[in-house]
């Protein structure tokens, strides 16, 4: 078993070895590490809903009334009223006729993609799509065709070349997790309709975050339903702005029924626990009825965009996107070892913002991925920006 130790040593040598860090306390803007308070700048709990009393209360009541686990898969004995209510709430939030839940967003991508395409089909992907999309494509056995990040012209060319395949599916992140870029959805939707391709959009970082009322990428661009290709598959997760856990796909009733019958990561796994569904349901109601967290998140985003204006990456795709469109700020460093060193200094100063290294991002583009929450104070944001500026000047 030499390969275990050798691989770990190689990763260590390249500055790429990963280790778990224990985080204590509530998932807020301040967390405890080794007994010390640190400001957390790397969570996807964008709206700070994971610790909202309404969300915690809903989960606690569900545990009291319904216990801890669903006990079986949805199709056997695990289907509860809360699963159905949550699916209806997701469909409402995403303006789709129906939705299906998966235990995680990863499983939603893997299950849906491998159910929709297989050998003899083509799946067209953005170069920077999330790993769970790539894994779904690999599992499907379909031919994977990659286009330059957010480049609408290139994706049109790639779709033209895919003409000979039986089915074509284009999959893109709505908001790219490591760059904060927003996919050019109007152009993508038009190209898919023109080439007869299905469109699947991963709304993991868009749901609750972009669009006037936080409904996601389609709302951000104001695209009416009739301008979207048929079928459009809207995937997302409840683990980020919704503050809980679970993946979903929303779309036509026929699509959802098809996935209930064919998506293996839905069929062959235990249903989400009722408390998790109750938490998501309460959080979605807050997203629909309380605009304050999103307003605060946007105010914080504007503040940090101004403070870090000179650290804005030069390019990174077909288009230079506005800085601060989303609460995700990539601070490019380059070498993994330097990114790790800066992140370590930040932690020493009380700011948690781990280095993001290959294979999560392309080689030579290691970075700090700063992400904001609604509940960050201006003081926390100013303090972080000052510390970051200090350590970015440091030679390692
Ligand atoms: C774009 C994207 N899609 C899917 C996922 C997977 O979601 P989950 O964490 O719910 O498995 C993530 C997050 O990890 C993500 O960033």
């Amino acid at each position: 078993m030499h390969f275990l130790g050798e691989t770990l040593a190689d990763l260590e040598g390249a500055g790429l070895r990963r280790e778990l860090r224990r985080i204590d306390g509530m998932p807020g803007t301040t967390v405890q590490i080794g007994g010390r308070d640190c400001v957390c700048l790397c969570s996807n709990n964008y709206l700070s809903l994971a610790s909202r009393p309404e969300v915690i209360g809903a989960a606690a009541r569900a545990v009291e009334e319904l216990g801890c686990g669903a006990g079986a898969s949805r199709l056997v004995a695990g289907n509860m009223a809360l699963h159905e209510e949550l699916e209806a709430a997701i469909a409402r939030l995403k303006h789709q006729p129906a939705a299906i839940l998966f235990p995680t967003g990863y499983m939603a991508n893997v299950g849906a993609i491998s159910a929709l395409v297989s050998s003899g089909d083509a799946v067209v992907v953005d170069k920077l799509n999330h790993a769970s999309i790539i894994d779904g494509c690999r599992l499907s056995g379909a031919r994977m065709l990659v286009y330059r990040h957010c480049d609408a012209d290139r994706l049109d060319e790639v779709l033209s070349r895919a003409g000979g395949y039986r089915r074509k599916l284009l999959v893109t992140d709505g908001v790219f997790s490591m760059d904060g870029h927003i996919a050019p959805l109007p152009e993508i939707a038009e190209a898919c309709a023109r080439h007869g391709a299905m469109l699947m959009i991963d709304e993991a970082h868009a749901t609750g975050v972009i669009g006037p009322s936080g409904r996601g990428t389609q709302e951000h661009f104001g695209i009416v339903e009739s301008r979207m290709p048929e079928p459009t598959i809207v995937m997302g997760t409840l683990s980020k702005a919704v503050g809980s856990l679970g993946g979903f796909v929303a779309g036509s009733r026929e699509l959802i029924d098809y996935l209930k019958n064919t998506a293996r990561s839905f069929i062959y796994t235990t249903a989400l626990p009722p408390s998790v569904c109750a938490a998501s349901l309460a959080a979605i109601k807050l997203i629909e009825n309380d605009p304050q967290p999103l307003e605060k998140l946007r105010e914080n985003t504007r503040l940090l965009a101004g403070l870090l204006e000179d650290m804005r990456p030069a390019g990174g795709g077909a288009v230079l996107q506005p800085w601060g469109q989303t609460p995700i700020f990539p601070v490019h460093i380059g070498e993994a070892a330097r990114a790790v060193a800066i992140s370590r200094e930040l932690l020493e100063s009380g700011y948690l913002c781990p280095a993001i290294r290959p294979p999560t991002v392309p080689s030579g583009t290691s970075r700090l991925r700063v992400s904001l929450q609604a509940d960050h104070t201006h003081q926390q944001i100013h303090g972080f920006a000052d510390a970051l500026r200090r350590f970015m000047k440091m030679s390692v």
Side-chain angles (χ1 to χ4, degrees):
M1 288 294 167
H2 294 311
F3 80 93
L4 301 175
E6 282 167 12
T7 305
L8 289 170
D10 288 349
L11 288 171
E12 182 81 48
L16 298 177
R17 184 164 172 166
R18 293 163 191 247
E19 264 163 20
L20 289 171
R21 179 183 289 117
R22 205 184 80 200
I23 309 287
D24 297 318
M26 278 270 181
T29 59
T30 304
V31 294
Q32 282 88 50
I33 299 175
R36 262 180 76 216
D37 278 355
C38 292
V39 181
C40 178
L41 288 137
C42 52
S43 168
N44 300 316
N45 176 24
Y46 300 114
L47 298 174
S48 301
L49 296 184
S51 55
R52 269 280 286 252
E54 297 91 322
V55 175
I56 295 172
R61 281 192 300 278
V63 168
E64 290 282 337
E65 287 166 22
L66 299 163
C68 292
S73 70
R74 294 281 299 284
L75 290 166
V76 177
N79 188 38
M80 299 172 146
L82 273 169
H83 295 116
E84 296 184 355
E85 273 177 55
L86 179 55
E87 286 172 338
I90 292 166
R92 194 175 66 230
L93 184 74
K94 302 305 281 184
H95 288 308
Q96 296 293 327
I100 174 177
L101 275 173
F102 291 81
T104 66
Y106 184 100
M107 290 172 78
N109 269 333
V110 167
I113 296 169
S114 61
L116 291 165
V117 284
S118 59
S119 165
D121 300 328
V123 60
V124 177
V125 289
D126 187 292
K127 192 167 191 304
L128 297 188
N129 274 350
H130 188 257
S132 56
I133 296 177
I134 303 306
D135 291 358
C137 295
R138 288 181 181 154
L139 183 68
S140 75
R143 179 71 197 272
M144 212 190 322
L145 304 169
V146 182
Y147 61 87
R148 200 162 84 114
H149 176 53
C150 281
D151 188 331
D153 293 336
R154 295 285 172 84
L155 79 88
D156 197 70
E157 274 169 45
V158 172
L159 279 170
S160 314
R161 279 194 273 122
Y165 290 91
R166 187 182 53 157
R167 290 182 209 150
K168 295 178 282 280
L169 170 68
L170 185 144
V171 193
T172 180
D173 288 27
V175 170
F176 286 82
S177 54
M178 294 298 138
D179 295 270
H181 294 154
I182 301 179
L185 191 60
E187 291 83 358
I188 292 176
E190 209 177 284
C192 287
R194 200 167 46 247
H195 293 282
M198 301 179 275
L199 169 59
M200 178 164 164
I201 175 151
D202 177 335
E203 294 282 88
H205 298 271
T207 304
V209 176
I210 64 166
S213 63
R215 284 180 153 77
T217 313
Q218 203 179 321
E219 190 193 49
H220 170 82
F221 286 107
I223 312 175
V224 292
E225 228 50 67
S226 58
R227 303 295 302 269
M228 295 299 285
E230 180 53 47
T232 293
I233 300 117
V234 181
M235 174 272 162
T237 173
L238 305 165
S239 63
K240 305 198 191 294
V242 179
S244 174
L245 182 75
F248 65 81
V249 171
S252 71
R253 287 186 198 290
E254 195 176 34
L255 169 76
I256 300 311
D257 199 18
Y258 173 85
L259 292 176
K260 282 181 187 158
N261 282 277
T262 56
R264 294 170 65 86
S265 61
F266 172 81
I267 300 170
Y268 299 107
T269 194
T270 299
L272 280 168
S275 55
V276 171
C277 297
S280 298
L281 203 48
I284 289 177
K285 284 182 187 153
L286 287 169
I287 290 174
E288 289 174 321
N289 298 311
D290 179 3
Q292 239 200 359
L294 185 54
E295 283 163 13
K296 281 169 65 191
L297 180 66
R298 290 197 171 142
E299 187 186 311
N300 285 344
T301 301
R302 279 192 298 276
L303 173 63
L304 191 65
L307 294 173
L308 300 189
E309 174 61 41
D310 59 329
M311 292 187 204
R312 162 196 188 131
V319 277
L320 179 60
Q321 299 217 353
W323 185 229
Q325 281 200 110
T326 69
I328 301 168
F329 291 84
V331 176
H332 283 255
I333 293 172
E335 284 312 307
R338 181 168 158 79
V340 170
I342 293 177
S343 141
R344 199 180 298 125
E345 293 292 338
L346 281 167
L347 189 59
E348 286 289 306
S349 302
Y351 298 100
L352 175 63
C353 190
I356 307 289
R357 298 165 283 168
T360 306
V361 293
S363 174
T365 74
S366 289
R367 66 197 68 175
L368 301 178
R369 174 205 184 256
V370 183
S371 54
L372 290 175
Q373 299 177 41
D375 284 357
H376 276 125
T377 63
H378 288 196
Q379 195 188 2
Q380 287 174 325
I381 295 170
H382 275 284
F384 169 70
D386 289 347
L388 179 62
R389 191 167 300 290
R390 211 163 52 245
F391 298 127
M392 288 292 278
K393 289 191 190 126
M394 183 180 78
S395 58
V396 183

